Amino acid sequence: MNDIKEKTDFIREIIRQDLQNKKNNGRIHTRFPPEPNGYLHIGHAKSICLNFGLAEEFSGICNLRFDDTNPTKEESEYVQSIKKDIKWLGFDWGQNEYYASDYFEKLYEFAVLLIKKGKAYVCDLSTEEIRQYRGTLTAPGRESPYRNRSIKENLTLFKEMRDGKYPDGSKVLRAKIDMSSPNLNMRDPVMYRILHKIHHRTGNNWCIYPTYDWTHGQSDSIENITHSICTLEFEDHRPLYDWFLDQLEIYHPRQIEFARLNLTYTVMSKRMLLELVEKKYVNGWDDPRMPTISGMKRRGYSPQAIRNFCQQIGVSKADSTVDIAFLEHIIREELNKKAARVMGVLNPLRVVIDNYPDDQEEELTAINNPEDPSAGTRKIPFSKILYIEQEDFMENPPDKFYRLSPGREVRLRYAYFIKCVDAVKNKDGSILELHCIYDPLTKGGDAPDGRKVKATLHWVSDRHSIPAEVRLYDKLFTKENPARVEDGDDFKENFNENSLQIVKNCKLEPSLMRAKPGNMYQFERLGYFCVDSGTTNEKLVFNRTVTLKDEWAKIRKT
Ligand code: ATP
Ligand code: MG
């Protein structure tokens, strides 16, 4: 991919070293292993860019593997959405699509092998008892009374578990390691549990399911993964994965941990995102406020910009939180170069140009993108009745307000100077419409006598305008780290009730008649907007992708 340059970070260092040492005969094989229990978020994008990116850079392969070991939470809807989002991001796994569930039989055989080696046993303790027996970080665990069952008995019981003889939760298969290990993961972890549940791929073939810990390392080994890259919380699981592979005497991938992505003012956990969806805090997984890939797509973020973001944040060993202003900064930078400028008025205030002939209209020339001369110009219609933004007029302006007010002259972008001569009011005191006069000599926006104005306003012609609904978004949560809550509190209490504002009666310039879902624009002075995927011929809907104000520039300076 052309946006990938020579990069360096601790993972690439390791890979270069391994290549130099001819490890794995110079083979590089990574994988992205999502659990299909929700839609992908921007944190996953970091992992996707890393794993698929490494395969591209080092002429390797990256597998897509669904870690589908938990039949209660997984659905094929998620499998489809994950595939769609990865493709949209610009990555391709080709033929290399795998499912941990394809290894269920193999994993069962591996488990039987461990039992035969005396390294696994069937345990009848309840989940709660297992927890109690496990001990704590400071206290060693206690051995299960079932720990010394004979190999023969274990083989029989495990077979019977598979055959459906026992109810859910009545027995588990555990590895026999060390109940006094300082690493809790090594204290006889559970390998299989009984669950009489239908699986999205294996149907009712199985009523015992392998745990993630028992599945993950072996799946990597089966697929001959060379570099198994995962997030830091799995560092403590690595000794366990190594132990399993050692006991089974099978190929060892190299596991490398990196810090997960956290972003301010949002959450990065599928469980929490699912809750927002199910409890209708947001309108689905692709709500433009969501940190999901599908939400960001609908919001108007491009795959290129998301990849660029992932590249810029880099990978490291230390946990950190990225300011959401930085993500928006990257989005804005790209749109500044690419998005066509247009004019649209969100909260229209009617302006009558008293000295402009009733039936006259004319076309003025507007620049499509000052950052890109090749984008050319377009014509915008001007006539006697216009709209400007309500907030661009004040009857009694304070000192620093330079926009329109009675007696004041301002420029209408690409058009004329206008001066306000009267403000007509409704009974309640609000402004009904303004009356202005224009100076025909200022056509195009400059006065031949050199006089200056202090403000330039955007506007649209009433007669030519098209109506639209515009959705303005703010941060999803009111707190920088909404997931960090005191005991008993709920992250949803930090939900920002003002994160969505729907503006219904906007007036846009007529060139937007041809706007199609996904098209991006800069509405002058208001921000970058995209046409929503739910737009119809009857109703044009825009999402504000990002405002014009670069908060990151401010943060960077301080
Ligand atoms: P969540 O907590 O959101 O459910 P998860 O880690 O359980 O995330 P998986 O489907 O298991 O989700 O993740 C697939 C891959 O994406 C894993 O390799 C995981 O390490 C990686 N990943 C998940 N979240 C992040 C993140 N915030 N930053 C970087 N990588 C992530
Ligand atoms: Mg997970």
Side-chain angles (χ1 to χ4, degrees):
M1 207 153 298
N2 56 15
D3 57 341
I4 291 173
K5 300 181 194 76
E6 175 88 349
K7 297 176 219 161
T8 46
D9 53 56
F10 79 99
I11 295 181
R12 288 171 170 88
E13 287 304 308
I14 291 173
I15 291 187
R16 290 198 181 101
Q17 198 86 57
D18 286 348
L19 282 174
Q20 213 159 43
N21 296 336
K22 305 259 183 325
K23 203 176 162 190
N24 301 308
N25 299 320
R27 223 167 34 84
I28 299 298
H29 202 153
T30 57
R31 85 286 176 267
F32 173 66
E35 186 184 346
N37 61 349
Y39 281 57
L40 298 180
H41 52 60
I42 180 93
H44 294 113
K46 176 177 178 178
S47 178
I48 293 169
C49 290
L50 180 58
N51 283 294
F52 282 94
L54 290 172
E56 277 178 10
E57 281 164 69
F58 295 99
S59 310
I61 298 171
C62 181
N63 290 357
L64 169 60
R65 182 200 320 135
F66 291 97
D67 250 322
D68 55 351
T69 51
N70 186 349
T72 58
K73 291 189 184 158
E74 292 155 5
E75 290 173 30
S76 26
E77 176 200 344
Y78 297 136
V79 170
Q80 298 314 320
S81 76
I82 288 169
K83 293 208 264 188
K84 197 168 141 198
D85 288 347
I86 298 173
K87 283 206 177 122
W88 179 78
L89 271 178
F91 297 103
D92 185 4
W93 56 91
Q95 303 293 309
N96 304 300
E97 179 177 329
Y98 300 95
Y99 294 80
S101 55
D102 290 342
Y103 310 138
F104 281 173
E105 192 62 46
K106 187 82 199 160
L107 290 167
Y108 180 84
E109 285 169 25
F110 282 153
V112 169
L113 199 65
L114 281 203
I115 295 174
K116 285 183 178 161
K117 286 186 145 190
K119 298 291 183 184
Y121 61 97
V122 173
C123 180
D124 298 6
L125 292 180
S126 67
T127 312
E128 186 45 39
E129 285 166 330
I130 289 178
R131 199 174 9 250
Q132 284 164 10
Y133 273 68
R134 190 165 52 211
T136 64
L137 283 173
T138 49
R142 281 180 293 144
E143 296 190 348
S144 161
Y146 304 98
R147 198 173 198 260
N148 295 313
R149 274 177 164 153
S150 70
I151 290 175
K152 190 157 171 258
E153 187 184 3
N154 281 321
L155 286 171
T156 309
L157 289 172
F158 188 47
K159 174 79 170 54
E160 288 174 350
M161 280 168 65
R162 177 184 183 160
D163 291 343
K165 200 165 164 193
Y166 304 110
D168 286 5
S170 58
K171 286 183 175 16
V172 293
L173 184 75
R174 297 176 71 177
K176 193 169 176 177
I177 311 180
D178 179 4
M179 288 308 289
S180 59
S181 169
N183 184 343
L184 290 171
N185 294 307
M186 303 298 276
R187 295 185 188 172
D188 292 10
V190 172
M191 295 163 59
Y192 275 91
R193 57 243 194 270
I194 302 174
L195 275 176
H196 290 266
K197 284 266 158 51
I198 302 283
H199 185 278
H200 76 115
R201 297 189 87 236
T202 58
N204 61 3
N205 290 355
W206 294 88
C207 62
I208 56 171
Y209 288 95
T211 56
Y212 183 83
D213 276 344
W214 171 243
T215 311
H216 195 76
Q218 280 77 269
S219 301
D220 281 342
S221 175
I222 291 169
E223 290 174 19
N224 279 312
I225 300 303
T226 56
H227 298 84
S228 167
I229 298 164
C230 58
T231 41
L232 284 178
E233 68 271 25
F234 290 101
E235 200 163 6
D236 289 347
H237 295 240
R238 176 151 37 99
L240 174 60
Y241 298 167
D242 283 340
W243 188 88
F244 282 142
L245 298 173
D246 285 344
Q247 297 303 322
L248 296 169
E249 297 175 55
I250 56 176
Y251 165 74
H252 267 253
R254 174 167 187 176
Q255 175 169 314
I256 308 170
E257 303 87 11
F258 73 104
R260 55 197 295 131
L261 168 66
N262 297 301
L263 263 188
T264 56
Y265 296 102
T266 192
V267 292
M268 211 69 87
S269 135
K270 281 181 283 185
R271 180 183 61 76
M272 289 179 180
L273 295 174
L274 176 66
E275 224 182 309
L276 294 180
V277 172
E278 284 183 336
K279 305 214 164 115
K280 306 232 178 319
Y281 283 81
V282 295
N283 304 309
W285 285 98
D286 70 343
D287 186 301
R289 289 167 287 180
M290 292 279 271
T292 51
I293 294 179
S294 51
M296 291 183 168
K297 174 183 177 196
R298 189 163 177 186
R299 176 87 171 246
Y301 292 14
S302 73
Q304 169 87 36
I306 295 175
R307 290 201 304 264
N308 189 6
F309 169 74
C310 291
Q311 178 175 332
Q312 299 226 18
I313 56 174
V315 288
S316 79
K317 268 273 182 204
D319 262 320
S320 68
T321 301
V322 175
D323 199 308
I324 200 158
F326 178 62
L327 172 60
E328 295 187 344
H329 166 78
I330 300 243
I331 302 298
R332 194 179 288 114
E333 267 193 330
E334 189 200 37
L335 290 173
N336 181 42
K337 288 184 213 124
K338 290 190 183 160
R341 274 58 171 171
V342 292
M343 292 201 283
V345 175
L346 300 194
N347 298 298
L349 173 60
R350 203 173 126 99
V351 174
V352 182
I353 311 290
D354 288 341
N355 60 339
Y356 198 86
D358 284 358
D359 296 327
Q360 186 172 315
E361 53 181 68
E362 63 188 299
E363 292 205 305
L364 301 162
T365 303
I367 294 169
N368 285 334
N369 186 352
E371 300 288 322
D372 176 10
S374 73
T377 61
R378 71 186 183 288
K379 296 290 182 192
I380 42 174
F382 187 88
S383 64
K384 186 180 179 74
I385 298 175
L386 314 168
Y387 291 106
I388 63 166
E389 214 65 66
Q390 282 171 22
E391 63 171 41
D392 282 338
F393 174 80
M394 277 185 99
E395 197 176 11
N396 301 301
D399 275 355
K400 291 240 160 83
F401 186 89
Y402 298 120
R403 291 168 270 166
L404 201 57
S405 58
R408 169 100 43 92
E409 190 172 49
V410 297
R411 174 189 293 112
L412 293 182
R413 180 88 156 142
Y414 299 123
Y416 295 99
F417 285 10
I418 60 166
K419 185 187 235 169
C420 179
V421 292
D422 192 18
V424 181
K425 290 188 183 166
N426 293 305
K427 280 202 189 89
D428 65 2
S430 59
I431 311 283
L432 172 70
E433 64 181 25
L434 302 180
H435 285 262
C436 296
I437 51 169
Y438 86 116
D439 177 354
L441 296 177
T442 59
K443 183 165 179 172
D446 284 307
D449 63 4
R451 78 182 188 277
K452 299 284 178 218
V453 288
K454 283 196 167 151
T456 301
L457 309 186
H458 61 274
W459 55 276
V460 293
S461 160
D462 171 41
R463 200 188 302 166
H464 306 91
S465 70
I466 52 174
E469 176 178 307
V470 170
R471 297 174 187 165
L472 305 176
Y473 302 104
D474 199 350
K475 301 181 167 76
L476 188 53
F477 290 93
T478 54
K479 283 210 187 127
E480 215 172 277
N481 183 353
R484 188 165 54 213
V485 287
E486 303 296 322
D487 272 356
D489 280 359
D490 183 336
F491 78 99
K492 300 194 293 308
E493 283 164 25
N494 300 323
F495 178 78
N496 180 7
E497 298 291 344
N498 300 316
S499 53
L500 168 63
Q501 191 197 336
I502 299 182
V503 192
K504 290 209 180 281
N505 299 309
C506 308
K507 307 275 188 188
L508 310 181
E509 67 165 74
S511 73
L512 289 167
M513 196 107 70
R514 295 182 294 275
K516 295 275 175 316
N519 287 174
M520 303 292 321
Y521 301 91
Q522 184 195 98
F523 288 10
E524 297 217 18
R525 301 174 67 223
L526 299 175
Y528 294 98
F529 293 75
C530 74
V531 183
D532 185 65
S533 55
T535 276
T536 58
N537 285 339
E538 287 75 46
K539 187 167 142 189
L540 187 56
V541 179
F542 279 86
N543 296 314
R544 181 157 70 191
T545 307
V546 67
T547 59
L548 291 178
K549 199 167 92 200
D550 193 345
E551 285 175 46
W552 179 249
K554 248 190 316 183
I555 294 165
R556 203 167 25 181
K557 277 197 201 113
T558 54

